[in-house]
């Protein structure tokens, strides 16, 4: 009897989480239940931590329910991994029945339908496909209508693409006009045109390093910091992947020996906890922090001046 009850509970959970909305009558007929027993089971799964929604008399379980979250963390791909798999399947076209079935299953399970069918997503997939083909054949490409927030421009760029980064969201290229290696976001390209021109500057292509603060660059800067207990704990909580960079030197002091390609990420961390951190190595980083403090001091002075002016105006009125 106890196992029959458990079986019904599991059946109801499966039905309510299959992506469809079911009316009470449908559920009772499918499971051979009375309405009274259905409400009894429904009450049980609510108390078990499942989030149950009712809309227009129909029920379904929210996939964000704590039980599903814990289960997926153990057995399921992460969101970024699923997106990569789905993107790769999309690039294979529609000629394979198996690929189509896998793609449909992912779209059903992760509700990708709106994103996948959007013009922006389709354009990104097309851009990625052209870039991959160009890299395979070592051809230049023209990035048409690239929108750059740094130069505040939208213009075409001729580049040699040679490395995909950040789950295929960015591409590292050697830009012909500037003669520099730069990282371009694929989503900021209106389109990509593969040129019938082979690479001319392959010897200048460089691998890019991404630090734990998610800044990327070709150069690495070593910095050594002494952290107190507070800064050490916060570093491990915010960047657990960097815990191996810490070495305890005293009961309440740790040495952080780290390489970064941009001082901004580490600088934000240090400036927020400056009373608990001491820089022991990294002249470039010391200069960066000094400049940030001077800039903050100037900004604070201007802010105080503005506040004083506003106060004077109010008194005059």
């Amino acid at each position: 009897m106890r196992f029959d009850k458990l079986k019904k509970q599991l059946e109801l959970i499966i039905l309510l989480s299959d992506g469809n909305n079911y009316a009470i009558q449908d559920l009772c007929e499918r499971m051979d239940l009375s309405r009274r027993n259905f409400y009894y089971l429904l009450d049980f799964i609510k108390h078990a931590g499942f989030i149950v929604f009712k809309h227009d008399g129909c029920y379904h379980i929210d996939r964000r329910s704590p039980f599903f979250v814990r289960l997926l963390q153990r057995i399921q791909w992460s969101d970024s991994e699923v997106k990569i798999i789905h993107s790769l399947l999309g690039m294979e076209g529609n000629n394979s029945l198996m690929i189509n079935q896998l793609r449909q299953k992912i779209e059903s399970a992760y509700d990708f339908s709106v994103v996948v069918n959007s013009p922006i997503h389709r354009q990104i997939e097309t851009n990625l496909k052209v870039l991959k083909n160009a890299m395979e054949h070592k051809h230049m490409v023209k990035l048409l209508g690239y929108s750059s927030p740094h130069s505040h421009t939208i213009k075409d760029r001729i580049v040699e693409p040679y490395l995909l980064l950040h789950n295929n969201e960015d591409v590292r290229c050697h830009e012909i006009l500037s003669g520099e290696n730069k990282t371009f976001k694929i989503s900021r390209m209106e389109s990509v045109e593969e040129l019938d021109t082979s690479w001319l500057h392959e010897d200048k292509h460089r691998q890019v390093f991404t630090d734990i603060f998610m800044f990327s660059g070709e150069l690495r800067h070593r910095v050594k910091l002494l952290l107190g207990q507070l800064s050490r704990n916060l570093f491990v909580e915010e960047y657990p992947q960097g815990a191996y960079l810490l070495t305890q030197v005293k009961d309440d002091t740790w040495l952080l020996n780290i390489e970064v390609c941009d001082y901004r990420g580490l600088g934000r961390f240090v400036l927020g906890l400056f009373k608990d951190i001491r820089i022991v190595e990294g002249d470039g980083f010391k200069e960066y922090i000094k400049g940030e403090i001077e800039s903050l001091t100037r900004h604070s002075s201007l802010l105080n001046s503005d506040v004083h002016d506003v106060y004077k105006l109010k008194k005059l009125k």
Side-chain angles (χ1 to χ4, degrees), residues 212-213 234-244 265 268-269:
I212 65 171
F213 303 101
L234 289 176
F235 180 83
V236 172
E237 290 170 8
E238 292 185 25
Y239 310 102
Q241 71 275 27
Y244 74 97
R268 180 192 66 83
F269 178 78

Side-chain angles (χ1 to χ4, degrees), residues 29 39 48 66 88 175 257:
E29 290 178 359
Y39 284 120
L88 293 174
E175 187 178 38
N257 186 351

Side-chain angles (χ1 to χ4, degrees), residues 81-93 99 103 106 121 125 128-129 132 164 167-168:
E81 290 170 334
V82 171
K83 288 177 181 177
I84 291 172
I85 293 171
H86 185 269
S87 296
L88 293 174
L89 291 173
M91 293 172 64
E92 292 298 321
I99 287 176
R103 188 165 54 234
I106 290 176
H121 180 84
E125 292 300 320
L128 182 59
K129 192 170 184 178
K132 284 188 172 183
L164 290 169
N167 297 331
N168 293 347

Side-chain angles (χ1 to χ4, degrees), residues 213-245:
F213 303 101
M214 298 311 294
F215 284 94
S216 298
E218 296 175 359
L219 299 177
R220 306 186 190 192
H221 311 285
R222 183 166 297 281
V223 179
K224 292 184 180 180
L225 308 173
L226 283 178
L227 308 185
Q229 187 169 4
L230 174 62
S231 53
R232 178 265 176 192
N233 290 345
L234 289 176
F235 180 83
V236 172
E237 290 170 8
E238 292 185 25
Y239 310 102
Q241 71 275 27
Y244 74 97
L245 300 170

